[in-house]
């Protein structure tokens, strides 16, 4: 807890523009309280529902509802032990069918992208993911396959060679970083996030990639210059340290969904440090903005048109519906996959 305490201390001293907006502010106290109680060995099991907000919930089925606990428990037992892999979906599909198709999707996408095939990769069992299955002797979860697919879509345009620098704001669970490093081990990756999310992400990545590969935030919290970082490592920073990137050039800026959880002025501030020194910008966002009401969610949803306006000087070279390994990503919110590039830096 020493790391988390120091991160929170520095975070609370940061300017207001780096404090969480309403979407995350209403979750902060519960997340911090749960982190202090949590068994890290159960990080991916779904045991801690609040962690699902940033990707730590790899369950086979969604058991969460407002029904009494004993009813949810009974439903879970029935799904796991009675229906098992029976054909319970349309077109006589079973759970193994869905997993097999998702895996096949990854095989095809990997071949088209020209990157390390999914058959040579596998997920870690750290954190006890419930949605763990084997195909051709390798372990996977749907989240692992989905993040592989996301990289495949991007690689067609990014054309990563493996020695680039990637900056990700809103790294969440670290699942995308995991895929990036397993496909391109020599990438240098800079992760930025809110302190409590960053703390868990650091624990996860250091366990699956190795302590020598990951520079946890406790090591970077006092850095005031990042021009001479060791290449090929993962570095973790608090979101309030984002201005550090203004002094470096890098190849890819990556943000998946977290911009949608911020107010437009907060997004504009982050992008102000990206526009002059980055080649590619990759976004996976809700085209119509995230949930918003008078009392919860974001105050002002950020839309696709806002991104286009904010990314002046960049050309949109790819935009389409965003997909997971097994399905389109949230049709109701209109999630898109967009890639922009700055011509004069290519």
């Amino acid at each position: 807890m020493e790391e988390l305490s120091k991160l929170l201390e520095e975070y609370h001293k940061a300017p207001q523009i780096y404090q969480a907006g309403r979407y995350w502010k209403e979750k902060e106290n519960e997340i911090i309280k749960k982190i202090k109680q949590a068994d890290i060995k159960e990080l991916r099991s779904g045991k801690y529902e609040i962690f699902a907000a940033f990707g730590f919930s790899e369950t086979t089925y969604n058991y969460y509802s407002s029904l009494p606990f004993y009813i949810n428990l009974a439903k879970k037992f029935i799904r796991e032990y009675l229906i098992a892999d029976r054909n319970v979906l349309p077109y006589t599909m079973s759970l193994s069918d869905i997993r097999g198709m998702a895996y096949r999707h990854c095989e095809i996408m990997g071949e088209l992208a020209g990157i390390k095939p999914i058959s040579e990769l596998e997920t870690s069992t750290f954190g006890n993911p419930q949605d763990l299955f084997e195909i051709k002797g390798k372990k996977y979860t749907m989240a692992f396959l989905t993040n592989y697919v996301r990289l495949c879509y991007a690689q067609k345009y990014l054309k990563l060679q493996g020695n680039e620098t990637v900056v990700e704001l809103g790294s969440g669970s670290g699942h995308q970083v995991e895929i990036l490093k397993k496909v391109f081990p020599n990438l240098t990756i800079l992760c930025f996030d809110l302190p409590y999310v960053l703390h868990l992400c650091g624990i996860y990545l250091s366990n699956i990639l190795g302590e020598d590969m990951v520079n946890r935030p406790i090591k970077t919290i006092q850095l005031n210059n990042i021009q001479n970082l060791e290449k090929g490592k993962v570095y973790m920073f608090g979101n309030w340290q984002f201005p550090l990137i203004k002094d470096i050039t890098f190849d890819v800026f990556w943000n998946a969904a977290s911009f949608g959880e911020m107010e437009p002025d907060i997004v504009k501030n982050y992008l102000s440090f990206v526009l002059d020194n980055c080649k590619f910008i990759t976004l996976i966002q809700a085209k119509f903005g995230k949930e918003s009401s008078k009392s919860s969610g974001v105050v002002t949803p950020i839309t696709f048109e806002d991104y286009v306006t904010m990314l002046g000087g960049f050309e949109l070279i790819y935009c389409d519906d965003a997909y997971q390994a097994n399905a389109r990503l949230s049709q109701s919110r209109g999630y898109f996959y967009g890639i922009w590039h700055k011509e004069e830096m290519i």
Side-chain angles (χ1 to χ4, degrees):
M1 290 299 102
E2 178 185 0
E3 177 181 85
L4 180 59
S5 296
K6 288 185 177 180
L7 285 172
L8 289 170
E9 180 182 353
E10 294 300 317
Y11 167 66
H12 290 309
K13 291 190 297 186
Q16 184 60 37
I17 195 72
Y18 297 105
Q19 304 300 310
R22 187 175 71 176
Y23 184 95
W24 278 101
K25 182 63 69 176
E26 60 191 18
K27 299 178 175 67
E28 278 189 342
N29 290 336
E30 183 182 355
I31 291 173
I32 294 168
K33 179 181 178 181
K34 194 62 68 175
I35 289 174
K36 293 177 179 179
Q37 301 171 347
D39 177 359
I40 297 302
K41 293 179 181 179
E42 295 294 325
L43 191 57
R44 299 161 69 192
S45 69
K47 181 177 181 180
Y48 306 105
E49 295 183 27
I50 191 66
F51 295 167
F54 43 92
F56 280 128
S57 182
E58 294 175 77
T59 54
T60 304
Y61 293 98
N62 182 2
Y63 304 123
Y64 314 135
S65 76
S66 58
L67 295 173
F69 169 76
Y70 63 88
I71 295 180
N72 282 325
L73 189 63
K75 288 169 63 179
K76 179 177 179 178
F77 177 84
I78 291 171
R79 285 169 172 162
E80 285 193 356
Y81 299 105
L82 298 185
I83 64 174
D85 195 36
R86 295 180 187 175
N87 297 327
V88 295
L89 297 172
Y91 304 106
T92 65
M93 291 176 64
S94 65
L95 181 57
S96 62
D97 292 329
I98 297 172
R99 288 167 168 170
M101 288 190 296
Y103 180 86
R104 180 58 181 152
H105 185 193
C106 290
E107 284 187 315
I108 295 170
M109 291 297 294
E111 184 176 349
L112 291 173
I115 62 174
K116 184 180 292 187
I118 192 66
S119 60
E120 295 181 15
L121 305 171
E122 67 178 329
T123 190
S124 164
T125 59
F126 175 78
N128 189 28
Q130 285 188 11
D131 184 32
L132 189 69
F133 52 92
E134 285 194 19
I135 295 180
K136 299 181 179 179
K138 297 291 182 67
K139 296 180 177 64
Y140 303 100
T141 65
M142 197 61 72
F144 186 88
L145 297 181
T146 289
N147 284 285
Y148 180 82
V149 166
R150 288 179 176 177
L151 175 56
C152 290
Y153 272 107
Q155 178 63 7
K156 180 179 178 182
Y157 299 92
L158 302 182
K159 295 179 170 54
L160 297 173
Q161 300 299 305
N163 59 351
E164 292 86 355
T165 297
V166 177
V167 172
E168 183 179 26
L169 176 66
S171 298
S173 62
H175 287 349
Q176 192 66 63
V177 176
E178 175 185 4
I179 287 291
L180 283 164
K181 288 297 288 184
K182 286 183 174 180
V183 174
F184 297 109
N186 294 321
L187 286 180
T188 304
I189 304 179
L190 281 56
C191 306
F192 294 83
D193 215 324
L194 293 166
Y196 34 89
V197 180
L198 192 72
H199 175 66
L200 289 184
C201 182
I203 291 173
Y204 178 69
L205 290 177
S206 60
N207 272 276
I208 64 167
L209 298 178
E211 292 283 355
D212 60 332
M213 180 59 64
V214 179
N215 288 273
R216 295 271 296 275
I218 196 70
K219 298 179 181 179
T220 63
I221 196 170
Q222 297 301 330
L223 287 181
N224 53 27
N225 186 297
I226 59 172
Q227 291 178 304
N228 297 307
L229 297 179
E230 183 180 356
K231 297 293 185 181
K233 303 287 187 179
V234 175
Y235 291 85
M236 315 203 68
F237 300 93
N239 65 301
W240 62 95
Q241 295 176 280
F242 201 70
L244 289 173
I245 70 169
K246 71 181 184 298
D247 297 325
I248 65 170
T249 58
F250 52 98
D251 301 280
V252 180
F253 172 73
W254 190 295
N255 185 281
S258 67
F259 269 164
E261 298 161 353
M262 307 176 194
E263 307 305 324
D265 62 320
I266 297 177
V267 175
K268 187 174 182 180
N269 176 64
Y270 283 123
L271 287 177
S272 70
F273 298 104
V274 173
L275 298 179
D276 292 332
N277 52 359
C278 176
K279 293 180 181 179
F280 290 93
I281 293 175
T282 300
L283 301 181
I284 305 171
Q285 310 292 341
K287 184 177 292 186
F288 312 114
K290 295 281 284 186
E291 302 82 1
S292 176
S293 71
K294 290 184 178 181
S295 59
S296 64
V298 295
V299 176
T300 305
I302 184 169
T303 67
F304 177 77
E305 287 72 24
D306 293 321
Y307 295 117
V308 172
T309 300
M310 291 179 184
L311 295 177
F314 280 75
E315 179 186 0
L316 181 63
I317 58 174
Y318 174 79
C319 186
D320 204 347
D321 293 339
Y323 281 83
Q324 299 168 295
N326 63 317
R328 183 181 296 178
L329 180 60
S330 185
Q331 294 186 49
S332 63
R333 306 308 301 180
Y335 271 82
F336 70 91
Y337 203 143
I339 300 176
W340 284 257
H341 80 74
K342 196 172 185 65
E343 290 183 345
E344 61 267 32
M345 293 188 71
I346 303 300

